[in-house]
Amino acid sequence: FTQSELNGISVGNLILAALSSTSGQFSVAVEAVCRAAGITQQVLPVSDAETDIAAELEDGQRVIGEWQIIQRQPRTDVARLFLQPPVKALPQVLEAIAAADIVVLCPGSLLTGTIALLLHEGVCEAIATTSATCLYVCNLMTQPGQTDGYTASRHLTTLRQYLGHRVDGVLVNNGQLLPELVAYYAQHGSQPVRNDLTSDEATVVYSSDLVEHPDVDTIRAYTRPQGNGMQVGLHLIRHDAAKLAAQIMTHVPTSPQGNGN
């Protein structure tokens, strides 16, 4: 929506909020949306409990809330991330991780997205003990307020602060980004993530062309006005779903023990 009191609110979020309010549980709302959308795969929110992502900065200051962290001034480095209050992950999430053949840590907002999910009680422990291969898909671009100046190795190092050292492989892009889109991102303080990773005994680095090349209609859709309250950032430079899926699936175990989860 771009007008009135709904300015900046997405339809999807509005539906989830309404269903959560009706059912009293976010997981029930997600399940209802999946049924309505015809999604057959299992989709689980990490928790039904309410909490906020919080950060302790290098100067000792504490900041609570995603946008408060992103928009902090000055952008003092984050020393530690935590949940306020601490909450447990859904048992179904931990069971799914335990039964999986492969766990993929997806690209997104590194601090307030990917790592925030890992902070729910039980998640890191479940990933540490699962027999699944653990892959991390590194971001294509830095995100202002979160990963300013981060290289691929710093993304991985920051992730390991919370996950530990169990990352079996990292997928990084070596495909060409459109110069006009890179220039557009630069105007907003975002730069391509430089790959400075090398494989070692703990983690294998997989480099391939993973970037999507959007057509004119897609570019127009993602640059249209989104409302004053829609602070979603840029989404023009993205991973190509088919390319990324193909790379991930090459690392799924083919032994009889593999169950395809």
Side-chain angles (χ1 to χ4, degrees):
F1 297 100
T2 58
Q3 298 177 346
S4 71
E5 62 272 11
L6 295 178
N7 183 24
I9 298 177
S10 70
V11 175
N13 285 346
L14 194 64
I15 293 173
L16 282 171
L19 291 173
S20 297
S21 178
T22 302
S23 66
Q25 288 184 300
F26 186 56
S27 58
V28 174
V30 171
E31 184 179 355
V33 170
C34 288
R35 286 199 304 271
I39 298 172
T40 58
Q41 292 81 7
Q42 184 183 41
V43 179
L44 295 169
V46 68
S47 178
D48 272 329
E50 292 189 13
T51 187
D52 284 305
I53 181 66
E56 181 177 319
L57 306 183
E58 291 287 357
D59 61 6
Q61 179 185 358
R62 291 194 171 193
V63 183
I64 298 176
E66 179 176 15
W67 286 107
Q68 286 71 25
I69 293 173
I70 293 173
Q71 296 174 342
R72 69 191 184 281
Q73 292 295 334
R75 288 181 181 167
T76 306
D77 283 350
V78 172
R80 180 175 68 94
L81 292 164
F82 58 98
L83 296 182
Q84 183 64 41
V87 296
K88 296 181 178 180
L90 286 173
Q92 302 96 302
V93 170
L94 306 184
E95 292 166 4
I97 294 172
D101 293 320
I102 188 165
V103 173
V104 181
L105 302 175
C106 295
S109 297
L110 180 66
L111 304 186
T112 63
T114 306
I115 290 174
L117 298 178
L118 299 176
L119 295 175
H120 289 72
E121 185 177 324
V123 172
C124 285
E125 293 81 0
I127 295 176
T129 56
T130 184
S131 59
T133 299
C134 181
L135 294 179
Y136 169 51
V137 182
C138 190
N139 288 29
L140 297 171
M141 305 293 292
T142 62
Q143 183 175 358
Q146 297 227 25
T147 54
D148 301 274
Y150 276 34
T151 62
S153 65
R154 189 168 180 191
H155 276 77
L156 180 60
T157 298
T158 303
L159 182 67
R160 279 175 167 168
Q161 284 183 245
Y162 303 92
L163 184 63
H165 286 273
R166 193 181 183 277
V167 179
D168 300 309
V170 181
L171 277 66
V172 292
N173 173 63
N174 64 8
Q176 181 66 40
L177 303 178
L178 292 176
E180 57 267 35
L181 293 184
V182 172
Y184 182 63
Y185 269 67
Q187 296 174 16
H188 295 79
S190 180
Q191 306 293 334
V193 174
R194 180 172 61 85
N195 180 18
D196 59 346
L197 286 168
T198 55
S199 298
D200 56 30
E201 294 181 358
T203 304
V204 180
V205 178
Y206 304 99
S207 299
S208 61
D209 181 357
L210 300 174
V211 70
E212 179 184 77
H213 298 290
D215 55 25
V216 174
D217 289 339
T218 301
I219 294 175
R220 185 181 299 116
Y222 279 86
T223 54
R224 70 185 187 277
Q226 299 177 355
N228 295 333
M230 183 63 85
Q231 300 170 308
V232 296
L234 301 176
H235 290 82
L236 286 164
I237 298 178
R238 300 180 294 175
H239 287 86
D240 183 287
K243 293 178 183 178
L244 184 57
Q247 280 295 310
I248 290 172
M249 291 305 294
T250 61
H251 307 295
V252 174
T254 56
S255 65
Q257 289 76 23
N259 54 27
N261 292 327

